[in-house]
């Protein structure tokens, strides 16, 4: 699970934005003008094979800029 959802920086984080793009998340079309660039992030990419399809699941699992605010992504 991506730790971004409970992070104070989720609304303007460039790494979270990248992960959303990789998930092809079309519902968030908000343009971020003031990007936050986190320090020392670690992204885990799981690869799943189904029949003849390859799926990738991107999750940020470590970030030194992480500041926990549970549910902040819903704001």
């Amino acid at each position: 699970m991506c730790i971004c959802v409970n992070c104070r920086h989720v609304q303007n984080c460039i790494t979270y934005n990248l992960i959303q793009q990789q998930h092809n998340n079309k519902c968030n079309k908000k343009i971020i003008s003031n990007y936050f660039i986190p320090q020392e992030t670690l992204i885990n990419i799981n690869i799943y094979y189904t029949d003849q399809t390859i799926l990738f699941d991107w999750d940020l699992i470590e970030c030194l800029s992480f500041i926990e605010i549970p549910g902040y992504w819903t704001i």
Side-chain angles (χ1 to χ4, degrees), residues 13-46:
C13 178
I14 197 165
T15 303
Y16 182 69
N17 191 27
L18 168 75
I19 291 171
Q20 280 188 310
Q21 289 174 10
Q22 297 307 316
H23 279 290
N24 293 321
N25 186 346
K26 306 291 185 204
C27 64
N28 186 3
K29 298 212 182 233
K30 183 171 91 173
I31 297 173
I32 301 171
S33 60
N34 186 17
Y35 277 109
F36 173 76
I37 301 173
Q39 295 187 6
E40 296 189 41
T41 58
L42 181 62
I43 297 175
N44 184 47
I45 304 170
N46 292 304

Side-chain angles (χ1 to χ4, degrees), residues 5-74:
V5 297
N6 288 324
C7 181
R8 176 185 177 280
H9 305 291
V10 72
Q11 302 296 330
N12 61 348
C13 178
I14 197 165
T15 303
Y16 182 69
N17 191 27
L18 168 75
I19 291 171
Q20 280 188 310
Q21 289 174 10
Q22 297 307 316
H23 279 290
N24 293 321
N25 186 346
K26 306 291 185 204
C27 64
N28 186 3
K29 298 212 182 233
K30 183 171 91 173
I31 297 173
I32 301 171
S33 60
N34 186 17
Y35 277 109
F36 173 76
I37 301 173
Q39 295 187 6
E40 296 189 41
T41 58
L42 181 62
I43 297 175
N44 184 47
I45 304 170
N46 292 304
I47 304 171
Y48 300 100
Y49 300 96
T50 60
D51 296 327
Q52 295 182 3
T53 305
I54 299 174
L55 303 171
F56 298 93
D57 182 29
W58 293 61
D59 291 316
L60 186 112
I61 58 172
E62 187 175 320
C63 176
L64 289 185
S65 300
F66 179 78
I67 298 174
E68 186 174 23
I69 298 180
Y72 189 72
W73 64 277
T74 60

